Amino acid sequence: MMKGIISTCFCLLFLSHSLSAQSNYVDSLTQLLEVNQPDSNRLGVLLRLTEKFYMEDTKKAFPYAEEAKSLSLQLNDLSNLAEVQYYLSYLYYFDYKDEEALIAADSCKQLYILINTPKYSCDCLYIQGAIYMGLGKKEEGRKSYEEGLEMGKKYEYLRAIINNSKGLGDIAETDGDYEKALEYYQLSMEGEEKEDNAHGQGVAYNDLGRIYDSMGQYEKGLSKYLEGLAWAEKYNLNRLQATFLSNIAGIHFRQKNYSKAEEFAEKGLEKFRENSDRRGEAKSIQTLGNCAFNQGEFQLALDYFMKARDIQEEIKYKRGLTFAYFNMGKSYHKLGQKKEAIKFHEKSLELREELGFKSGQAGSHKALGQLWTQEGNYKKALFHLKKGEQIAGEKELIEEQEGIYKNLAQYYEARGNFKQAFSYFEQYAQTRDSLLNKDRNKQIADMQTRYETSQKEQEILRQEKEIAELDAQKSGAIIQRNAFISGGLILSILAFLGLRINRIQRERNDKKALAEALLFTQEEERKRIARDLHDGIGQSLLLIKKQLLNNASISAENQHMISETLEEVRSVSRDLHPFQLEKFGLKAALEEAILKVERSSDLFISKELIELDQYLPQAAHIHVFRTVQEALSNIIKHAEATAAKVSAELKDNEVLIQIRDNGKGFDHELEIVTSKSLGLRTMFERISAIGGKLKIEKGNNGKGSNLSISIPIQNM
């Protein structure tokens, strides 16, 4: 039997070196099956075909593995039987037959111990751990991984160290310990690079990207995913391609770029279906549902979540089911079906408690607390909110704490306990401040990085140009050194002028980058102050107003003064950052701004606006809004106009926005005005920052003025 195995190995070695294409390698193996008898040679071919397909095409791999198992038993070949049981454990796992997978993995482990090669049982411990995790048995999974890692180190078995480190990284990620997860995944990546394992490196790219994503470091996460996608495409790793597409969609979703999120989710869904990966299919459908939900399409979102639920129940994937149930609950809540919402949030919570999914439990308690408060069942509401507060505090889940504090404040307000409500509003405001500061520090760091990167790129371009110019001067001097001295002088002058022009251009670019960065920071600061006014001072005034209304001795004058103060705070908050822009989009925000100008002045304004949101990226919305707002303000202050018109249309693949008035127009040339007016200069900088053009002209017959903004339609 040993002779036959050696013969087969030499045959396969010859094939692998002599055939350059993978398809030829597989074809040659299948041809060997046609001529080989049921002996050790055939067994070797069956194992290699199983090895080839078990990670990528389970349908092709299963028949080879089953025959290899049968032949190993027939030949009493325990060594190869252990190997085929290892492959079968994966195949059953990928086919969601978890019990069969556990039996195969345990059989593999026992066989390796029986034939006195215990180090390979580490591989079986890893797959056991993965199966336990899929079943929601985290502690059993942790035990298997730790045992496998310990044995791997004992026998200096790199593959076991790689796999079981990855498994422990998965558990650390589930626990929310991202720093530890990053350490384990980095160790796994280093091992895969040492082994030059293409599939393993692809998995490691995905693990690292997912952790950076979870830590809120979206640029690093996206970078890892894109590297991994290119890697998976290079080595034709179809399952991993689908995973990367799905995760890239997730990052775009969290950055509120829903069109891009939907695009990548659809691509991922197609790939998952090609590979019959039901778990991945459900994940992509969940992403599409979340995109629909965040865009206000709640019925469509519910339809998606129900499809995901059906798949998760079919394959018995409990962790995925917790998200499907939770998302169905929040959709029913938005659709006003609170009983259904409570039902699915409770189902999600039950599963999350079974799985030990702490951050998920906090979210479920928060949602149920809010629902029971609205239903008037204060006993149940308080139970869930306090339980959520406890879990969020233990695990330092700041985002969950923020929502729970807000819901507790609403609970106590509904119960008439204004003192306790005010206390929780204060905690809510403090938590929100800490999140805003964290976000703002990250945004400032990102802005600084972008600016420094821009400067470095410009410096590289400058040096390249100078080198090219010096090379041109040198070659010109060599060719014409004797006969064309005057030409060399001219070239030197031109080179000097070129450097001078380049320096001026670089300074302009630096100023432009700085202006864009300042505009970005200014808007973020406006947004923060607006939130502080609304959520802090505004809520405090509202509570004071309610308390005083319950006091019979308060005068009508005091009531009126408090109401006016509250409305003034709200008005300042709206001016600082238009809430309609985020909730309802650019068109709605512009219509509200126009209506406000009409109410506060004698100016009559007509409007014709298309749905701008679908043609302009979200980052451009605030700049367009501020520019139109400033233009209307200038008309009121300077134009002495009685009527104006704001229009937005599509023209030649551009969005064209025009603001016309019937006022007196400009008294000076436009160049003089734009150079001295800070407001106009900021308008030009805003539109330039989003790749558009702004033009201001006198109206027909020299009356009034016409401001036009043209922005190319971008693929979002």
Side-chain angles (χ1 to χ4, degrees):
M1 184 171 69
M2 184 59 69
K3 182 179 178 182
I5 293 172
I6 293 170
S7 171
T8 300
C9 288
F10 272 114
C11 179
L12 293 175
L13 185 63
F14 171 75
L15 284 171
S16 63
H17 283 285
S18 62
L19 300 173
S20 58
Q22 287 294 322
S23 59
N24 289 343
Y25 173 66
V26 173
D27 289 344
S28 300
L29 287 172
T30 53
Q31 287 171 17
L32 282 173
L33 282 183
E34 295 174 7
V35 298
N36 271 329
Q37 298 299 314
D39 56 14
S40 56
N41 287 338
R42 184 176 184 82
L43 178 56
V45 174
L46 288 167
L47 285 169
R48 297 293 70 77
L49 284 167
T50 303
E51 180 185 33
K52 171 65 184 170
F53 290 116
Y54 85 106
M55 281 289 186
E56 288 298 313
D57 194 333
T58 56
K59 289 181 181 178
K60 283 186 178 179
F62 253 122
Y64 298 129
E66 291 289 356
E67 187 182 347
K69 178 182 176 182
S70 176
L71 191 52
S72 298
L73 289 167
Q74 183 182 329
L75 298 172
N76 196 30
D77 187 341
L78 299 183
S79 177
N80 282 323
L81 180 59
E83 184 178 353
V84 77
Q85 288 286 49
Y86 172 74
Y87 294 138
L88 280 168
S89 65
Y90 267 99
L91 290 170
Y92 286 130
Y93 175 66
F94 288 143
D95 204 32
Y96 308 109
K97 297 176 180 177
D98 294 319
E99 293 302 326
E100 291 92 332
L102 277 174
I103 292 168
D106 189 61
S107 172
C108 171
K109 181 173 68 173
Q110 299 303 329
L111 282 166
Y112 277 129
I113 293 170
L114 183 63
I115 61 177
N116 202 29
T117 53
K119 84 171 189 177
Y120 295 118
S121 63
C122 304
D123 296 328
C124 310
L125 286 162
Y126 166 69
I127 188 61
Q128 274 187 328
I131 297 164
Y132 281 130
M133 285 292 288
L135 290 169
K137 298 179 178 180
K138 185 172 67 173
E139 291 311 313
E140 288 89 337
R142 191 196 306 273
K143 183 179 177 182
S144 292
Y145 290 143
E146 287 175 344
E147 186 181 348
L149 181 59
E150 187 179 342
M151 287 181 68
K153 290 178 177 177
K154 176 182 176 181
Y155 294 109
E156 297 182 351
Y157 180 24
L158 183 57
R159 173 48 48 191
I161 294 171
I162 293 168
N163 287 343
N164 288 289
S165 293
K166 182 197 176 317
L168 288 167
D170 292 343
I171 289 180
E173 181 183 355
T174 304
D175 290 341
D177 192 345
Y178 298 127
E179 294 294 340
K180 185 179 285 186
L182 202 58
E183 289 177 18
Y184 280 126
Y185 289 145
Q186 192 60 50
L187 181 62
S188 177
M189 170 62 97
E190 290 168 3
E192 299 291 9
E193 288 172 346
K194 287 178 184 176
E195 287 205 338
D196 197 22
N197 181 352
H199 185 275
Q201 287 181 64
V203 172
Y205 276 124
N206 183 58
D207 291 335
L208 290 168
R210 193 175 61 251
I211 292 301
Y212 285 126
D213 187 0
S214 299
M215 295 171 77
Q217 299 180 30
Y218 298 130
E219 288 185 7
K220 283 186 176 181
L222 185 59
S223 174
K224 288 295 179 186
Y225 287 149
L226 290 172
E227 284 181 64
L229 180 59
W231 184 270
E233 288 171 347
K234 177 181 177 181
Y235 290 99
N236 199 30
L237 305 170
N238 290 320
R239 282 180 179 272
L240 277 175
Q241 286 180 48
T243 301
F244 285 122
L245 289 166
S246 175
N247 288 341
I248 290 168
I251 283 192
H252 284 301
F253 170 77
R254 281 180 284 287
Q255 293 185 316
K256 299 182 180 179
N257 190 345
Y258 301 124
S259 59
K260 279 289 182 186
E262 288 168 346
E263 175 190 336
F264 280 97
E266 290 283 4
K267 289 179 180 177
L269 180 59
E270 184 180 346
K271 279 284 183 187
F272 282 127
R273 283 174 174 164
E274 284 176 14
N275 290 280
S276 302
D277 188 337
R278 300 286 280 161
R279 191 175 294 177
E281 185 181 342
K283 182 180 177 183
S284 291
I285 291 171
Q286 289 265 41
T287 301
L288 290 169
N290 282 319
C291 288
F293 184 91
N294 281 21
Q295 294 176 89
E297 299 179 60
F298 304 123
Q299 186 57 56
L300 176 61
L302 180 60
D303 293 341
Y304 277 125
F305 295 142
M306 290 172 76
K307 287 179 184 177
R309 181 270 315 269
D310 292 343
I311 294 172
Q312 307 285 23
E313 287 182 342
E314 177 190 328
I315 63 176
K316 297 182 175 66
Y317 183 46
K318 292 183 178 180
R319 184 175 173 84
L321 263 177
T322 71
F323 291 102
Y325 289 152
F326 182 88
N327 288 330
M328 287 176 67
K330 72 180 186 182
S331 298
Y332 278 122
H333 191 173
K334 285 292 185 180
L335 291 167
Q337 300 179 42
K338 292 180 184 176
K339 288 184 179 178
E340 286 296 301
I342 289 169
K343 170 185 166 183
F344 282 100
H345 277 307
E346 286 180 340
K347 290 181 76 169
S348 177
L349 176 60
E350 183 181 348
L351 271 180
R352 287 173 170 181
E353 287 176 340
E354 180 185 332
L355 299 175
F357 182 14
K358 290 293 187 181
S359 61
Q361 289 173 41
S364 293
H365 282 300
K366 177 178 70 175
L368 285 165
Q370 184 181 31
L371 278 161
W372 284 120
T373 300
Q374 292 172 3
E375 288 289 277
N377 190 328
Y378 298 117
K379 183 177 180 181
K380 285 188 176 180
L382 187 60
F383 167 78
H384 284 293
L385 291 172
K386 283 293 186 181
K387 190 70 176 176
E389 181 185 18
Q390 176 191 342
I391 295 169
E394 288 172 356
K395 295 294 180 180
E396 297 181 355
L397 305 170
I398 300 177
E399 291 184 10
E400 295 295 351
Q401 282 180 314
E402 178 200 11
I404 290 167
Y405 290 147
K406 184 177 181 180
N407 289 349
L408 277 165
Q410 291 168 348
Y411 164 84
Y412 282 112
E413 183 182 355
R415 299 287 286 160
N417 188 338
F418 297 110
K419 181 179 179 181
Q420 196 69 13
F422 184 69
S423 172
Y424 273 109
F425 265 122
E426 283 187 322
Q427 290 185 69
Y428 161 69
Q430 290 169 5
T431 309
R432 190 172 186 84
D433 279 346
S434 70
L435 284 170
L436 288 170
N437 287 334
K438 181 181 176 182
D439 289 343
R440 188 165 65 253
N441 290 339
K442 181 181 181 299
Q443 289 163 356
I444 291 169
D446 289 345
M447 179 184 69
Q448 182 66 26
T449 301
R450 288 197 298 271
Y451 184 62
E452 289 174 358
T453 302
S454 172
Q455 286 185 313
K456 287 176 183 176
E457 288 173 352
Q458 291 165 20
E459 180 64 21
I460 290 168
L461 286 173
R462 184 185 67 78
Q463 290 175 356
E464 287 176 349
K465 286 181 180 179
E466 288 180 352
I467 290 168
E469 287 162 357
L470 289 170
D471 286 344
Q473 291 177 43
K474 182 178 178 182
S475 61
I478 292 170
I479 296 169
Q480 300 176 340
R481 180 171 47 195
N482 298 321
F484 302 103
I485 296 173
S486 59
L489 180 60
I490 292 170
L491 284 172
S492 298
I493 293 170
L494 288 174
F496 171 76
L497 290 173
L499 288 170
R500 181 62 179 164
I501 292 167
N502 184 47
R503 186 175 293 110
I504 292 169
Q505 186 62 44
R506 188 172 70 254
E507 289 173 356
R508 286 178 179 173
N509 290 340
D510 286 349
K511 288 177 181 177
K512 182 181 177 183
L514 181 59
E516 290 176 10
L518 287 171
L519 286 172
F520 174 81
T521 307
Q522 182 189 58
E523 288 301 335
E524 289 303 310
E525 191 62 16
R526 280 172 176 263
K527 190 185 296 185
R528 185 190 70 79
I529 295 170
R531 284 173 176 164
D532 287 350
L533 283 171
H534 181 271
D535 297 333
I537 300 171
Q539 297 292 356
S540 300
L541 285 170
L542 186 61
L543 283 170
I544 293 168
K545 179 182 176 182
K546 288 188 176 183
Q547 287 176 317
L548 291 174
L549 285 173
N550 292 331
N551 188 338
S553 64
I554 183 173
S555 68
E557 182 181 352
N558 285 338
Q559 286 186 36
H560 181 67
M561 182 178 66
I562 292 168
S563 296
E564 280 192 341
T565 306
L566 182 58
E567 184 54 38
E568 187 177 346
V569 168
R570 287 171 175 164
S571 176
V572 172
S573 176
R574 286 194 294 269
D575 287 342
L576 282 167
H577 186 72
F579 73 91
Q580 294 94 343
L581 199 60
E582 291 181 355
K583 287 191 175 181
F584 306 113
L586 179 57
K587 181 186 176 185
L590 289 175
E591 288 175 340
E592 178 65 22
I594 292 167
L595 184 61
K596 184 177 179 181
V597 169
E598 282 192 300
R599 286 172 178 168
S600 60
S601 70
D602 296 328
L603 187 66
F604 171 77
I605 307 175
S606 60
K607 57 183 183 294
E608 292 180 11
L609 303 176
I610 61 169
E611 289 291 344
L612 292 163
D613 303 74
Q614 60 184 307
Y615 300 112
L616 298 176
Q618 194 168 18
H621 292 184
I622 187 64
H623 295 297
V624 172
F625 176 82
R626 292 293 186 206
T627 303
V628 173
Q629 191 180 47
E630 180 69 20
L632 293 173
S633 176
N634 286 340
I635 291 171
I636 294 170
K637 290 178 183 176
H638 309 297
E640 299 178 6
T642 58
K645 181 176 181 179
V646 181
S647 64
E649 61 181 333
L650 290 181
K651 187 175 181 181
D652 300 330
N653 208 33
E654 288 185 330
V655 171
L656 179 63
I657 301 169
Q658 292 184 304
I659 301 105
R660 300 184 179 92
D661 69 72
N662 65 350
K664 65 182 182 180
F666 287 110
D667 295 328
H668 305 287
E669 291 297 321
L670 181 61
E671 288 80 3
I672 298 173
V673 176
T674 54
S675 66
K676 292 187 177 181
S677 169
L678 178 61
L680 283 171
R681 199 181 320 152
T682 303
M683 290 163 68
F684 276 89
E685 287 174 353
R686 284 186 181 279
I687 300 305
S688 175
I690 58 176
K693 293 180 181 178
L694 185 146
K695 184 165 63 174
I696 305 176
E697 300 173 317
K698 290 184 178 180
N700 296 332
N701 302 321
K703 294 181 179 179
S705 60
N706 180 15
L707 181 148
S708 63
I709 302 166
S710 58
I711 307 167
I713 295 174
Q714 300 182 24
N715 295 322
M716 296 179 285

